[in-house]
Amino acid sequence: MRTPEELTELFRSSGRKVTAQRQCIFRVLQGDETHPSAEAVHAVVSREMETISLKTVYQTLHDLAELGEIASLDVGTGMTRFDPNVTDLHHHLVCRQCGSVRDLVAVFPELRIPEGADLGFDVGSAEIVFRGLCPECRAPAGRGRARARSST
Amino acid sequence: MRTPEELTELFRSSGRKVTAQRQCIFRVLQGDETHPSAEAVHAVVSREMETISLKTVYQTLHDLAELGEIASLDVGTGMTRFDPNVTDLHHHLVCRQCGSVRDLVAVFPELRIPEGADLGFDVGSAEIVFRGLCPECRAPAGRGRARARSST
DNA sequence: TCCTTATCGCCAACGATTGTTGAAAAACAA
DNA sequence: TTGTTTTTCAACAATCGTTGGCGATAAGGA
Ligand SMILES: [Mn+2]
Ligand SMILES: [Mn+2]
Ligand SMILES: [Zn+2]
Ligand SMILES: [Zn+2]
């Protein structure tokens, strides 16, 4: 994803207006590597703009996705996740427990489909989801002072 | 997934009763490689048992999943897909167009995460989704007699 | 300025899935 | 066969994430 300034430019030149809400969303997405859901984006943006509606967030996320500035992902956590990183070819690590999603920046060129195993599909891309436990969820809960941890 | 006879056995020994509906579902799933959704299973089963409810289908699919006889998958098509093949290690080919899902039986041992790229995740499994066009959707629509194709 | 677009709030609707209830049917152990 | 337990069905309502209206208001931008 480009910088908020560049996005401002891009929105204008694509006939979209640049509002305070949108710029706030740009800023929030900027450098966010957590692959937030729309709700999560809304939660953060709301801290700065109390009255912004979830609707507006969805709309802006879709605009950004339409412009190719972010990607929307379905990694099986029940909500669409949004990814500002559209430049690095990468895959994803997904925590079975808390649903956190992180980038795994690595290319697997050896992902060749064995001859004849493709069942006639014209394959264009491959997405790998690595499932496991994130560092937070791995942490033994019972060591030292019990550390309260929210389930979200 | 085991044979309908073995599943009958398994259901009994796990305290479940064996009904005509359940057996019908066993039979329908048997050898089905299309990764049907609950709706799809219901549609097929309904041909044989007119009055079977979608509810019952969901319930039985969950029972089977609980027993490890089938797997439930989320490959981004909007509905949970059910997979009777739990013995072959495999990945999936998903058609971008019609959403059909097929097995890609191949092991990719080279799917090693580069040192330090795992961000501290304790990775347990990796699922690959190959996206592309299935043979049906690849087929040029205009050749010879136009072949009507439903969108489902 | 003036036209266009965005936003808000509110509420309804979506599709996939799960839950509820009560009555009827069936499974199966004794 | 009888009696107990489970399952099914029908008909709903409810859930969750998401999208869609609506009119009123606010704001962008040439
Ligand atoms: Mn990513
Ligand atoms: Mn499969
Ligand atoms: Zn976690
Ligand atoms: Zn297809």
Side-chain angles (χ1 to χ4, degrees):
Chain A
M1 196 188 81
R2 292 174 231 206
T3 66
E5 294 74 35
E6 290 171 315
L7 290 176
T8 293
E9 195 56 27
L10 182 61
F11 263 51
R12 289 227 174 88
S13 67
S14 67
R16 276 169 258 248
K17 296 193 170 171
V18 176
T19 66
Q21 289 85 339
R22 288 178 172 180
Q23 285 181 306
C24 185
I25 293 169
F26 296 167
R27 263 180 280 116
V28 164
L29 285 177
Q30 171 89 309
D32 187 325
E33 305 200 342
T34 68
H35 304 78
S37 64
E39 290 271 9
V41 172
H42 181 250
V44 176
V45 166
S46 293
R47 268 187 245 134
E48 209 172 313
M49 307 190 62
E50 321 257 334
T51 71
I52 190 171
S53 77
L54 183 55
K55 201 100 197 275
T56 301
V57 172
Y58 270 111
Q59 161 117 341
T60 303
L61 290 172
H62 284 146
D63 282 343
L64 286 167
E66 202 173 299
L67 293 165
E69 293 296 320
I70 63 176
S72 49
L73 301 161
D74 178 1
V75 288
T77 56
M79 293 167 297
T80 301
R81 310 292 285 252
F82 296 90
D83 193 345
N85 182 0
V86 288
T87 52
D88 295 332
L89 277 193
H90 66 277
H91 299 284
H92 294 103
L93 294 154
V94 178
C95 179
R96 293 185 203 291
Q97 184 131 346
C98 69
S100 70
V101 181
R102 305 304 303 273
D103 283 348
L104 183 98
V105 181
V107 178
F108 299 91
E110 61 276 37
L111 228 56
R112 285 277 140 257
I113 300 176
E115 201 64 37
D118 63 12
L119 301 178
F121 272 64
D122 178 16
V123 175
S125 64
E127 301 157 18
I128 315 177
V129 172
F130 295 89
R131 297 195 191 276
L133 288 180
C134 75
E136 313 271 305
C137 293
R138 275 173 87 168
R143 233 180 14 83
R145 231 166 293 119
R147 201 191 313 190
R149 181 156 299 291
S150 83
S151 59
T152 41
Chain B
M1 197 187 81
R2 291 173 232 207
T3 67
E5 294 74 34
E6 289 170 316
L7 290 176
T8 293
E9 192 59 25
L10 183 61
F11 262 52
R12 289 228 172 86
S13 67
S14 65
R16 276 169 259 249
K17 295 193 170 171
V18 176
T19 66
Q21 288 85 337
R22 290 177 170 180
Q23 286 181 307
C24 185
I25 293 169
F26 297 166
R27 265 180 279 114
V28 164
L29 286 178
Q30 170 91 311
D32 186 325
E33 305 200 342
T34 68
H35 304 78
S37 63
E39 289 272 8
V41 172
H42 181 250
V44 176
V45 166
S46 293
R47 267 187 246 133
E48 209 172 312
M49 306 190 65
E50 321 258 335
T51 72
I52 191 170
S53 77
L54 183 54
K55 200 85 206 289
T56 301
V57 173
Y58 270 111
Q59 163 135 321
T60 304
L61 290 172
H62 285 146
D63 282 343
L64 286 168
E66 200 173 302
L67 293 167
E69 292 297 320
I70 64 178
S72 49
L73 284 93
D74 177 1
V75 289
T77 56
M79 294 167 297
T80 301
R81 311 290 288 252
F82 296 90
D83 192 345
N85 182 0
V86 288
T87 52
D88 294 332
L89 276 194
H90 66 278
H91 298 285
H92 294 103
L93 294 154
V94 179
C95 179
R96 293 185 203 291
Q97 183 132 345
C98 69
S100 69
V101 180
R102 306 303 304 274
D103 283 348
L104 179 84
V105 181
V107 178
F108 298 91
E110 63 275 17
L111 222 57
R112 284 278 140 260
I113 299 177
E115 201 64 38
D118 63 11
L119 300 178
F121 272 65
D122 178 15
V123 175
S125 65
E127 301 157 17
I128 313 178
V129 172
F130 295 89
R131 298 197 190 276
L133 288 180
C134 75
E136 311 272 306
C137 292
R138 276 172 83 169
R143 233 180 13 83
R145 231 165 297 121
R147 200 191 310 190
R149 181 155 298 290
S150 81
S151 56
T152 44

